[in-house]
């Protein structure tokens, strides 16, 4: 079975700014589900299991696309790991919301959820996410977790789960100056940059296409101190 990751650069699911992207994800989930009703599992770990965030997800995926919406709660101990594992096993699509990327990854690794999600990806479940939920699947992430925690005023690089090799930033329309300066100083020769309301679809680890609800996605390449920006169609 084909393996998908849909990385969304940012946007407000509450205000349906990513609706065209969500429609694409919902259709993939329905294909995966076959004759049964599709099931989408939401992880809001990066937002400390914000229930308003999950409710916004459910209002889009259930009310608009008729997909059953489930939630995986990890932060406050409401669900044991067997229940989380059962929810992952039943899901056709796993959607990871935005927030503190490093908090999320640390908690996933502590509880073993990272391994369950990697197995879910390898089994062909549709993997998608926004901001933190987009970049966590990559080997290298450009993240604002220190800014969110009040520890720094600067973005930083951090290792992700490594399902896709490469450096990535979300919110590129908001971070372009800072990210391009960091990219030029780094050892990376290529990077992925996704604006708000845009996404990159990776199929079997390779770029298939971009999706847009208004934003754009790019591959940045470096040559003798000059950055070439290639828009992903």
């Amino acid at each position: 079975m084909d393996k998908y990751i849909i990385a969304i650069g940012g946007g407000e699911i509450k205000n349906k700014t990513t609706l065209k992207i969500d429609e694409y994800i919902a259709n993939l989930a329905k294909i995966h589900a076959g004759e049964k009703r599709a099931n989408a599992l939401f992880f809001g770990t990066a937002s400390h299991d914000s229930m308003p965030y999950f409710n916004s997800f459910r209002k889009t995926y259930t009310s608009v696309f008729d997909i059953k919406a489930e939630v995986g709660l990890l932060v406050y101990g409401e669900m044991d790991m067997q229940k989380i594992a059962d929810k992952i096993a039943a899901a056709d699509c796993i959607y990871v919301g935005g927030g503190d990327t490093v908090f999320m990854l640390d908690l996933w690794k502590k509880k073993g959820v990272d391994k369950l999600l990697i197995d879910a990806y390898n089994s062909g479940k549709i993997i998608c996410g926004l901001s933190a939920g987009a970049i966590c699947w990559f080997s290298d992430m450009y993240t604002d977790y220190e800014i969110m925690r009040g520890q720094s005023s600067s973005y930083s690089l951090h290792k992700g789960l490594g399902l896709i090799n490469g450096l990535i930033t979300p919110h590129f329309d908001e971070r372009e100056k800072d990210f391009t300066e960091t990219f030029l100083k780094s050892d990376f020769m290529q990077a992925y940059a996704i604006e708000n309301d845009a996404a990159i679809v990776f199929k079997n680890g390779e770029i298939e296409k971009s999706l847009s609800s208004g934003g754009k996605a790019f591959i940045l390449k470096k040559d003798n101190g000059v950055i070439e920006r290639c828009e992903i169609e």
Side-chain angles (χ1 to χ4, degrees):
M1 186 176 289
D2 290 325
K3 298 184 289 188
Y4 283 93
I5 291 175
I6 297 94
I8 309 167
E12 294 292 337
I13 195 168
K14 178 180 179 180
N15 299 325
K16 295 185 170 54
T17 68
T18 59
L19 194 62
K20 290 182 180 179
I21 300 167
D22 296 316
E23 181 179 21
Y24 178 87
I25 293 168
N27 287 336
L28 282 182
K30 289 176 180 178
I31 291 169
H32 186 275
E35 295 183 357
K36 68 179 179 68
R37 187 186 184 196
N39 178 315
L41 175 60
F42 177 86
F43 279 101
T45 316
S47 63
H48 293 256
D49 284 345
S50 166
M51 289 309 292
Y53 196 172
F54 168 63
N55 289 333
S56 295
F57 172 82
R58 181 169 52 190
K59 285 177 182 177
T60 293
Y61 278 77
T62 300
S63 300
V64 178
F65 301 120
D66 191 31
I67 289 178
K68 183 180 180 182
E70 295 281 357
V71 64
L73 299 174
L74 297 170
V75 177
Y76 302 108
E78 296 99 324
M79 295 179 182
D80 62 31
M81 283 308 301
Q82 185 57 56
K83 187 166 187 179
I84 294 294
D86 291 344
K87 283 177 174 279
I88 291 172
D92 298 293
C93 167
I94 295 167
Y95 185 111
V96 179
D100 185 332
T101 317
V102 176
F103 169 80
M104 175 181 73
L105 288 175
D106 287 347
L107 187 59
W108 283 2
K109 290 173 182 177
K110 180 180 178 181
K111 292 181 175 289
V113 174
D114 58 332
K115 294 181 175 63
L116 293 176
L117 293 176
I118 290 168
D119 288 346
Y121 167 73
N122 286 324
S123 73
K125 295 182 186 294
I126 312 305
I127 303 295
C128 53
L130 182 147
S131 189
I135 65 176
C136 63
W137 314 107
F138 292 75
S139 61
D140 296 272
M141 314 176 298
Y142 186 70
T143 173
D144 61 352
Y145 81 98
E146 291 181 334
I147 299 173
M148 294 183 69
R149 299 178 185 187
Q151 298 173 346
S152 169
S153 60
S154 302
Y155 298 99
S156 58
L157 300 181
H158 201 279
K159 290 293 183 182
L161 293 176
L163 292 179
I164 297 174
N165 189 45
L167 173 63
I168 184 169
T169 183
H171 310 294
F172 183 57
D173 40 339
E174 300 173 7
R175 304 179 181 178
E176 180 174 357
K177 182 177 183 296
D178 294 300
F179 181 69
T180 51
E181 289 176 356
T182 299
F183 175 50
L184 279 172
K185 294 174 185 176
S186 75
D187 294 330
F188 295 96
M189 298 305 295
Q190 179 174 300
Y192 303 103
I194 314 175
E195 294 181 347
N196 293 335
D197 303 326
I200 304 175
V201 178
F202 291 86
K203 182 178 180 180
N204 300 323
E206 302 292 334
I207 293 176
E208 183 176 54
K209 62 181 177 179
S210 68
L211 304 170
S212 178
S213 283
K216 297 178 180 180
F218 305 92
I219 293 176
L220 306 184
K221 296 183 179 181
K222 194 164 55 177
D223 184 18
N224 293 321
V226 177
I227 293 177
E228 177 186 3
R229 186 162 69 173
C230 306
E231 184 176 347
I232 302 170
E233 299 295 336

